[in-house]
């Protein structure tokens, strides 16, 4: 197995656990977290625009990737409604499931990008930058709600392990499939990511940081787009 894949998987998934550990001992200013989330949003837009959907359309046309994109968004919405229903009275489980529904599609498609040596820096950067404030916010919220530090660490470490496995599984189990199948999977993940940005990441950033976070989003897009030109 590619050592670079394992390293990228560890960094991407470990950033969530790192954020959770950080959130137990230090809560950064909300405006700083909002700026980081906005930057990550711009990076995700770059990944979606340059790698996930555009490349899929170039490979398989517009119909299949387009339908898959919409399916990814719909599945995400249904999943979040499910999380909200069962998460009432259980902040830890709600946060855990929400992170899985956000992170698994991203992680699987990150693994896919290593098939054929087409790994994408914008997607990796977006995942890492997004995971840290997500872990900080999740862990600090659970601690405020009365959860013990040990239970918080177990929960968010387990989440990181699941995401690590998702990266590796996306690479291992989709080796050898057709380019059209990969295009469909990429588009599905792209739809889920787009829905996440619209439903959670960008609204949260705006709520905590105000209109100025729009600049951070633009910077995130520009800097990660520049990586595609290297």
């Amino acid at each position: 197995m590619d050592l670079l894949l394992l390293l990228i998987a560890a960094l991407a998934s470990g950033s969530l656990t790192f954020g959770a550990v950080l959130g137990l001992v230090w809560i950064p200013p909300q405006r700083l977290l909002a700026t980081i989330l906005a930057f990550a949003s711009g990076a995700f837009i770059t990944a979606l625009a340059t790698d996930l959907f555009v490349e899929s359309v170039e490979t398989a046309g517009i119909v299949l990737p387009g339908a898959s994109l919409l399916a990814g968004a719909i599945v995400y919405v249904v999943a979040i409604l499910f999380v909200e229903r069962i998460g009432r009275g259980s902040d830890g489980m709600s946060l855990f499931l929400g992170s899985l529904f956000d992170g698994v599609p991203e992680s699987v498609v990150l693994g896919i990008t290593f098939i054929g040596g087409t790994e994408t820096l914008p997607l990796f950067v977006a995942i890492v930058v997004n995971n840290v404030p997500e872990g900080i916010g999740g862990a600090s919220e659970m601690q405020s709600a009365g959860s013990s530090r040990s239970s918080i660490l177990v929960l968010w470490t387990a989440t990181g392990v699941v995401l690590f496995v998702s990266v590796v599984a996306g690479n291992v189990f989709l080796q050898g499939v057709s380019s059209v199948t990969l295009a469909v999977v990429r588009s599905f993940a792209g739809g889920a990511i787009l829905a996440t940005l619209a439903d959670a990441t960008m609204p949260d950033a705006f709520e905590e940081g105000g209109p100025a976070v729009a600049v951070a989003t633009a910077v995130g897009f520009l800097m990660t787009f520049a990586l595609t030109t290297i």
Side-chain angles (χ1 to χ4, degrees):
M1 185 177 294
D2 192 342
L3 290 179
L4 178 60
L5 171 67
L6 295 178
L7 176 61
I8 291 297
L11 291 174
S13 58
S15 60
L16 186 66
T17 305
F18 170 77
V21 172
L22 193 59
L24 293 177
V25 297
W26 177 61
I27 302 178
Q30 289 300 312
R31 190 172 294 274
L32 174 60
L33 291 178
T35 301
I36 296 172
L37 284 173
F39 181 94
S41 297
F44 273 125
I45 292 170
T46 300
L48 183 63
T50 61
D51 294 308
L52 300 182
F53 190 63
V54 172
E55 186 172 320
S56 297
V57 171
E58 291 174 349
T59 300
I62 187 62
V63 176
L64 279 177
S68 185
L69 181 87
L70 293 176
I74 292 170
V75 168
Y76 169 83
V77 171
V78 172
I80 290 303
L81 291 174
F82 172 74
V83 168
E84 291 177 351
R85 177 180 293 271
I86 70 171
R88 293 171 183 166
S90 176
D91 289 337
M93 183 57 67
S94 178
L95 289 166
F96 174 70
L97 292 176
S99 296
L100 288 182
F101 287 130
D102 289 350
V104 169
E106 302 164 3
S107 299
V108 169
V109 81
L110 181 62
I112 290 174
T113 62
F114 279 80
I115 297 176
T118 59
E119 52 268 14
T120 167
L121 279 175
L123 180 60
F124 170 69
V125 170
I127 290 173
V128 171
V129 174
N130 180 74
N131 278 352
V132 173
E134 183 176 342
I136 291 173
S140 61
E141 182 177 331
M142 291 178 68
Q143 186 168 233
S144 299
S147 298
S148 67
R149 287 194 171 191
S150 59
S151 64
I152 294 171
L153 287 174
V154 168
L155 187 66
W156 288 96
T157 300
T159 307
V161 170
V162 170
L163 298 185
F164 176 87
V165 172
S166 297
V167 176
V168 176
N171 180 268
V172 172
F173 292 111
L174 291 173
Q175 290 279 357
V177 304
S178 69
S179 58
V180 172
T181 299
L182 290 179
V184 168
V185 175
R186 280 174 178 260
S187 298
F188 183 91
I193 290 170
L194 195 58
T196 303
L197 294 177
D199 172 70
T201 310
M202 298 180 79
D204 287 349
F206 181 82
E207 181 179 354
E208 299 295 340
V213 298
V215 177
T217 302
V219 171
F221 176 85
L222 178 61
M223 291 185 66
T224 49
F225 185 84
L227 291 176
T228 67
T229 66
I230 298 176

